[in-house]
Amino acid sequence: MMSRDPLGAAEQIATAEEIVAAMRHDLRNCFGTIRNAAFFLKRKIAREQALQDDPRVEQFLHVIDEEAIAASALVDGVTDARPHLRRKPVSASALECVRLAAACARIAEPEVRVDLDAVDGVVELDPAELSVAVRCLVENAAESMPAGGVVTLRGRVVGARYRIEVSDAGAGVPEAEREAIARPFYTTKPGRLGLGLNIAGRVARRYYGTLTIADAAPRGTRACIELPLAATPGPPPAAGPAEPPP
């Protein structure tokens, strides 16, 4: 067992990013509701005697609207100014990322093992982020099999993309939970944040990839990350004919 988690820092940043994104979304909705309410009240009392008797009523409604706009802009400014989250994509080995994810997966059930079979492919991204994303999927798969089983982890080059598949033989995702599992903080496991799929999906989208969840055969769930392969440099241009001497 590793004494130090090599993906710990990257996972903390990814978790913080998901929490901030969820908070920003909720706050935007709150400020939007406040603005709509102020607009409704302003129209409602436009011809009321209260507005004629005290013009401060309209002034205060205007203040509410303006402050809601300012607060929304402040939320966006604060959450976007995160220099520690700026990434520098590099040409990385997808195979090494997958191997690291499997090696660092925190699997509590001793009867669960990871069957890794992957080939290499070069992708343009932050390798720690991809490793964290795959680890999230591996840990989700392991937790779906409390009685033990095999998590199948595959990495393949498919056309111009690299495909990572994580499959389990658990009970699968009930139809009623298909939409819910994509929401932040949704989990059926005590003590878990419920952000694994959100982290994996955000990492995939950040690097122009996709995350899909489907049923596995004959049972269980299959999560698939697909990412574009890094562009390979073309051959150098052919030298033209030498110009005749003057």
Side-chain angles (χ1 to χ4, degrees):
M1 180 181 295
M2 296 183 180
S3 58
R4 176 183 172 276
D5 183 359
L7 297 178
E11 184 179 52
Q12 288 176 2
I13 291 174
T15 301
E17 187 173 36
E18 289 302 322
I19 293 173
V20 167
M23 290 178 60
R24 178 168 55 183
H25 177 268
D26 291 344
L27 286 172
R28 279 175 173 169
N29 287 343
C30 290
F31 294 136
T33 300
I34 292 171
R35 292 194 66 199
N36 289 338
F39 178 75
F40 172 81
L41 290 174
K42 189 174 181 179
R43 291 191 60 184
K44 186 71 174 177
I45 67 172
R47 296 183 178 85
E48 298 290 333
Q49 187 62 38
L51 187 61
Q52 308 300 324
D53 293 342
D54 191 346
R56 291 180 302 173
V57 174
E58 183 177 13
Q59 177 185 349
F60 286 148
L61 288 173
H62 181 71
V63 168
I64 292 172
D65 187 51
E66 290 297 313
E67 289 299 313
I69 294 174
S72 183
L74 181 62
V75 167
D76 289 342
V78 170
T79 55
D80 285 338
R82 293 164 290 170
H84 62 288
L85 295 182
R86 293 172 188 161
R87 297 155 184 87
K88 294 182 179 179
V90 298
S91 293
S93 163
L95 175 59
E96 291 305 314
C97 294
V98 170
R99 283 176 174 169
L100 182 59
C104 296
R106 296 159 298 194
I107 299 176
E109 175 53 59
E111 298 303 318
V112 172
R113 66 180 180 86
V114 179
D115 179 17
L116 171 61
D117 180 13
V119 300
D120 205 2
V122 179
V123 287
E124 195 81 15
L125 43 63
D126 181 331
E129 278 200 297
L130 179 57
S131 296
V132 166
V134 177
R135 177 166 80 170
C136 288
L137 299 181
V138 170
E139 291 175 354
N140 278 359
E143 289 171 358
S144 73
M145 300 182 294
V150 178
V151 175
T152 303
L153 177 55
R154 299 286 182 263
R156 295 287 183 268
V157 174
V158 181
R161 301 174 75 79
Y162 192 87
R163 178 183 296 168
I164 301 169
E165 291 186 352
V166 181
S167 303
D168 63 67
V173 180
E175 190 68 31
E177 296 181 15
R178 289 295 175 90
E179 183 179 348
I181 61 172
R183 295 200 299 262
F185 308 114
Y186 177 83
T187 179
T188 58
K189 308 175 184 70
R192 306 290 290 187
L193 280 177
L195 292 176
L197 288 179
N198 298 94
I199 290 173
R202 183 177 293 271
V203 170
R205 292 190 299 273
R206 176 171 293 132
Y207 299 108
Y208 309 102
T210 58
L211 169 67
T212 55
I213 308 295
D215 292 332
R219 58 173 303 191
T221 304
R222 182 179 72 253
C224 176
I225 290 178
E226 283 199 5
L227 296 161
L229 293 170
T232 55
E243 294 186 6

